[in-house]
Amino acid sequence: MMRQYELLERVKRYNPAADEALLNRAYIYAMRAHGTQTRASGDPFFAHPLEVAAILTDMRLDDATIVAAVLHDTVEDTEATLDEIRGTFGPEIGALVDGLTKLKRLDLVSKRAAQGENFRKLLLAIAQDIRVLLVKLADRLHNMRTLHFMPPEKRARIAEETLDIYAPLAGRMGMQEMREELEDLAFKHLRPEAYETITKRLETLTAKNERLVEEIERDLAQRLETKGLGAVVKGRRKRAYSIWKKMERKSVAFEQLSDIFGFRILVGSIDACYGALGLVHSTWPMVPGRFKDYISTPKQNDYRSIHTTVVGPGHQRVELQIRTRAMDEVAEYGIAAHALYKDPAQAPKPIGESRAYQWLRRTIDLLAEGDNPEDFLEHTKLELFHDQVFCFTPKGRLIALPRGATPIDFAYAVHTDVGNTAVGAKINGRMAPLLTELANGDEVEIVRAGGSQVPPAAWESLVVTGKARAAIRRATRTAVRKQYAGLGLQILERAFERAGKAFSEEKLKAALPRLARTSVDDVLAAVGRGEMFSGDVVRAVYADFKDVGRLVSGAATQGAGWVALGADALKMKLPDAADDPRAIPIRGLDADLPVRFAPESGAVPGDRIVGIITPGEGVTIYPIQSQALAAFENVPEAWVDVRWDVEAITHKRFPARIKLETINEPGSLAQIAQVVADHDGNIDNISMQRRTPDFTDVVIDVSVWDIKHLNGIIAELRAKRVISKVERLMG
Ligand code: MN
């Protein structure tokens, strides 16, 4: 295990100004916190955070990152708390450790391959600081290096996850060295035989070619030297995983691979790169089609280099990469390499736009603008996917939601039933209000009511997802309907009793065709809502029933009706106005389209109206204030502009609905009827519902010529003392 002074030395080698006291404090704090814990290997656990820190010292990262690496497992695995760490090490390191703790929690959930991309996004969104990701990747690398100590069943899962998530992430951050090692380690555990075979052959080949490689290396270096290019030549061998991938991709045998050995020429400047390229191409013939210039056209992750293949000494194909030392550091360490430059002017300037991960370039831009590398690292807050939030079910399913989503949204995203029965939520194991705004990485457990439950209608305006909103609306509507059905049942039972007739659901069922309804529930709800009169139902069941108590004139028998029915819905059906089958007087439509008014919409000529096209059905006309239009808000193509055809409106009346609040006193209903009659209006229907001992709601359906006619009636109703409120209802 690395000693305290060793860690310090590693850091001081590249950063003589390192805060020794801080590093020492972290070392001792983590050592005490992990105490006697051990790893699967039997080593003291504390060796692990130290190794992670060591990997990061190779990348020459700042004190805060190294300290965060030493502390990265303390909060989750020991008694240490985040508050304590903040207190001891300050807010910056506190934030890094917090990010790492959150990421660590994600290790507990399964990351199926299908979730890979989402999961990478989640990592980026949670990390918030690029240094958190660097520590996370180093943590993963050390875990992969020691994976053979884990039980076999765990190995495959961790290796797959590494290949799906962490290796690509390292690649996208430009850290090729890290990516390759992660891939190789994962490959070793996932395909042990393939790994073994390729590695063995690689070793044989290396032994065989050892002298040749040395010869080429020397030869190249000499030639570059004589040209005064000051180059370093490094021989390199392809890794097992990348050989395997190539064999798979091109379905070729190991023997057919020509580029297992390569050389890297590192020079001081871009000019020198092209100078070296000229020298190589004029010395050995180049292999056509293998030349790529990523200096003039960098890759998305800012990788820059010249690639070429030549036929070298002994007719051996030799692959060459030519780049500056700075480019090499970027290629190996990616984003971390930018921290190496004290003088930002010398830092490799990124060229070219990365598409998928633009943040990389934004952070690099920050570096170019910043005064020093510390500044760069402090300003690498990742602002990614800020319109989304990613949460988990207790079983590890990843649920992506819009920002601002609550546990209610989460519940409906999981399943409509879960949403409908949600009564509480646990976020990360703690009870939390259902209206808490969810944060990235939250594990959300929905507490559900046993039995049936109706979501409060108010939820509809509090959720942010369309799915939740639609489901809540549906559930509330169903519940309201149920209440009406319950009321309807009471009314019917009493009506049958008064009529001296037996009532049963079976009898009602048999009468459904006569009532033009499809289910018993439908009838009950209609009666409860006051849309169907209980006497009509009795008569539909018993054809011989004479409705003696039926109110033919509301004004005359009003008092009796009030007392007899109490708070029940009372409905008086007056003679229907003759239905005029005349064409609907609307302009602005194709003549062939069938047109109808939305049922009970109550649109009368003069009202502002709009048409909604339903494919296969035609156009439905709504008044512009209609609530029903909300359902088409997101279907702009369904809306058509229509207007009344004034000429076609001649002898037709239109139904409108008015709601009144009246004072309970004899004669009030008569006054209403009188106003309508005085204005030459027809009352088609009246329904009343007593709200309090003093007030009754009265809804009247009147037939009017147009809006002016209707407004005249409403104005006069408003003037009556017995009427406290008048409003028009539109469906
Ligand atoms: Mn760890």
Side-chain angles (χ1 to χ4, degrees), residues 103 106-107 109-124 133 136-137 140 144 157-173 178-179 182-183 186 190 241 357 392 398:
L103 289 189
L106 302 183
D107 286 343
V109 303
S110 85
K111 282 143 244 168
R112 281 164 288 176
Q115 301 192 147
E117 183 58 28
N118 257 350
F119 194 80
R120 272 196 297 276
K121 285 185 183 175
L122 172 64
L123 280 181
L124 297 172
L133 284 181
K136 182 70 194 173
L137 286 171
R140 175 52 58 123
M144 286 301 293
R157 181 183 64 77
I158 296 171
E160 257 166 39
E161 193 182 286
T162 300
L163 220 44
D164 286 341
I165 290 155
Y166 294 97
L169 185 63
R172 290 197 199 176
M173 289 172 77
M178 169 88 75
R179 196 204 75 210
L182 286 172
E183 282 174 351
L190 290 173
Y241 182 70
Y357 282 68
F392 291 96
L398 185 56

Side-chain angles (χ1 to χ4, degrees), residues 654-680:
F654 292 83
R657 185 165 284 180
I658 303 170
K659 187 180 172 193
L660 310 142
E661 191 181 87
T662 69
I663 296 166
N664 290 342
E665 62 176 53
S668 53
L669 197 51
Q671 291 188 39
I672 295 168
Q674 194 60 47
V675 170
V676 177
D678 287 350
H679 282 261
D680 186 28

Side-chain angles (χ1 to χ4, degrees), residues 327-386:
M327 289 174 193
D328 192 50
E329 271 164 354
V330 171
E332 304 250 297
Y333 296 131
I335 196 131
H338 292 280
L340 310 182
Y341 293 86
K342 285 288 172 202
D343 177 4
Q346 282 177 24
K349 270 231 157 69
I351 306 170
E353 204 51 60
S354 65
R355 265 164 290 161
Y357 282 68
Q358 287 184 348
W359 59 271
L360 181 61
R361 105 158 270 89
R362 243 184 294 142
T363 47
I364 292 168
D365 282 348
L366 268 171
L367 170 72
E369 285 158 21
D371 291 320
N372 58 54
E374 282 74 32
D375 207 40
F376 157 70
L377 287 172
E378 267 170 33
H379 290 96
T380 49
K381 302 278 179 264
L382 303 170
E383 285 179 21
L384 299 163
F385 315 107
H386 47 79

Side-chain angles (χ1 to χ4, degrees), residues 54-177:
I55 291 169
L56 294 164
T57 59
D58 287 341
M59 295 160 135
R60 295 184 253 177
L61 287 164
D62 67 332
D63 293 350
T65 313
I66 304 301
V67 169
V70 173
L71 300 174
H72 82 271
D73 279 329
T74 54
V75 173
E76 195 70 7
D77 294 345
T78 76
E79 300 288 305
T81 67
L82 199 57
D83 281 342
E84 198 176 277
I85 284 177
R86 273 200 208 101
T88 313
F89 299 98
E92 185 190 8
I93 289 167
L96 293 177
V97 174
D98 185 27
L100 285 159
T101 307
K102 281 179 182 154
L103 289 189
K104 190 172 166 64
R105 250 192 355 239
L106 302 183
D107 286 343
L108 303 175
V109 303
S110 85
K111 282 143 244 168
R112 281 164 288 176
Q115 301 192 147
E117 183 58 28
N118 257 350
F119 194 80
R120 272 196 297 276
K121 285 185 183 175
L122 172 64
L123 280 181
L124 297 172
I126 285 191
Q128 284 183 354
D129 188 313
I130 206 142
R131 292 175 291 181
V132 171
L133 284 181
L134 293 174
V135 178
K136 182 70 194 173
L137 286 171
D139 178 35
R140 175 52 58 123
L141 182 58
H142 184 245
N143 285 338
M144 286 301 293
R145 283 177 182 168
T146 51
L147 190 61
H148 51 281
F149 292 115
M150 295 297 271
E153 67 277 8
K154 281 192 181 173
R155 279 182 225 164
R157 181 183 64 77
I158 296 171
E160 257 166 39
E161 193 182 286
T162 300
L163 220 44
D164 286 341
I165 290 155
Y166 294 97
L169 185 63
R172 290 197 199 176
M173 289 172 77
M175 305 158 80
Q176 301 315 321
E177 189 67 25

Side-chain angles (χ1 to χ4, degrees), residues 267-471:
V267 292
S269 68
I270 290 180
D271 281 353
C273 289
Y274 290 103
L277 176 70
L279 177 82
V280 166
H281 278 183
S282 60
T283 308
W284 296 293
M286 73 177 275
V287 177
R290 299 298 307 268
F291 174 73
K292 285 183 193 99
D293 185 351
Y294 294 118
I295 290 181
S296 72
T297 318
K299 284 192 186 181
Q300 271 188 34
N301 58 10
D302 284 313
Y303 173 84
R304 292 196 295 165
S305 189
I306 291 170
H307 291 188
T308 190
T309 305
V310 296
V311 183
H315 299 284
Q316 185 85 21
R317 281 181 170 211
V318 180
E319 206 181 56
L320 292 159
Q321 296 175 343
I322 306 170
R323 53 174 87 148
T324 66
R325 287 178 196 96
M327 289 174 193
D328 192 50
E329 271 164 354
V330 171
E332 304 250 297
Y333 296 131
I335 196 131
H338 292 280
L340 310 182
Y341 293 86
K342 285 288 172 202
D343 177 4
Q346 282 177 24
K349 270 231 157 69
I351 306 170
E353 204 51 60
S354 65
R355 265 164 290 161
Y357 282 68
Q358 287 184 348
W359 59 271
L360 181 61
R361 105 158 270 89
R362 243 184 294 142
T363 47
I364 292 168
D365 282 348
L366 268 171
L367 170 72
E369 285 158 21
D371 291 320
N372 58 54
E374 282 74 32
D375 207 40
F376 157 70
L377 287 172
E378 267 170 33
H379 290 96
T380 49
K381 302 278 179 264
L382 303 170
E383 285 179 21
L384 299 163
F385 315 107
H386 47 79
D387 53 342
Q388 272 176 295
V389 43
F390 303 88
C391 302
F392 291 96
T393 65
K395 283 187 183 154
R397 199 173 132 206
L398 185 56
I399 309 276
L401 294 162
R403 168 108 9 224
T406 64
I408 306 173
D409 291 293
F410 181 92
Y412 279 104
V414 171
H415 197 280
T416 305
D417 288 345
V418 176
N420 283 339
T421 53
V423 288
K426 277 187 187 170
I427 300 178
N428 304 323
R430 280 194 203 150
M431 283 307 293
L434 277 171
L435 294 176
T436 312
E437 185 174 329
L438 294 174
N440 269 313
D442 279 346
E443 186 192 293
V444 184
E445 186 186 341
I446 298 298
V447 182
R448 301 173 64 179
S452 65
Q453 215 241 171
V454 183
W459 280 6
E460 195 188 319
S461 57
L462 300 171
V463 297
V464 300
T465 48
K467 188 185 180 200
R469 192 166 294 152

Side-chain angles (χ1 to χ4, degrees), residues 130-281:
I130 206 142
R131 292 175 291 181
V132 171
L133 284 181
L134 293 174
V135 178
K136 182 70 194 173
L137 286 171
D139 178 35
R140 175 52 58 123
L141 182 58
H142 184 245
N143 285 338
M144 286 301 293
R145 283 177 182 168
T146 51
L147 190 61
H148 51 281
F149 292 115
M150 295 297 271
E153 67 277 8
K154 281 192 181 173
R155 279 182 225 164
R157 181 183 64 77
I158 296 171
E160 257 166 39
E161 193 182 286
T162 300
L163 220 44
D164 286 341
I165 290 155
Y166 294 97
L169 185 63
R172 290 197 199 176
M173 289 172 77
M175 305 158 80
Q176 301 315 321
E177 189 67 25
M178 169 88 75
R179 196 204 75 210
E180 285 176 13
E181 192 179 345
L182 286 172
E183 282 174 351
D184 245 28
L185 290 166
F187 177 49
K188 183 174 157 185
H189 289 284
L190 290 173
R191 305 293 299 262
E193 308 85 33
Y195 178 84
E196 188 77 359
T197 315
I198 291 175
T199 308
K200 275 215 177 100
R201 295 173 96 167
L202 257 179
E203 273 158 13
T204 316
L205 202 66
T206 308
K208 212 171 79 187
N209 286 298
E210 203 171 11
R211 269 194 33 235
L212 185 68
V213 171
E214 275 170 19
E215 196 182 307
I216 295 173
E217 220 176 289
R218 215 173 26 242
D219 191 10
L220 261 175
Q222 255 170 25
R223 283 167 193 271
L224 291 161
E225 181 71 39
T226 52
K227 287 275 177 187
L229 286 167
V232 174
V233 179
K234 291 200 278 192
R236 68 188 297 272
R237 194 177 83 178
K238 248 198 163 66
R239 291 206 186 236
Y241 182 70
S242 78
I243 291 173
W244 165 254
K245 284 275 281 202
K246 191 153 193 173
M247 286 166 68
E248 257 194 348
R249 199 169 60 236
K250 304 204 163 162
S251 21
V252 292
F254 187 89
E255 287 72 20
Q256 291 169 276
L257 294 174
S258 60
D259 56 357
I260 287 168
F261 293 99
F263 295 88
R264 192 171 289 164
I265 302 172
L266 303 180
V267 292
S269 68
I270 290 180
D271 281 353
C273 289
Y274 290 103
L277 176 70
L279 177 82
V280 166
H281 278 183

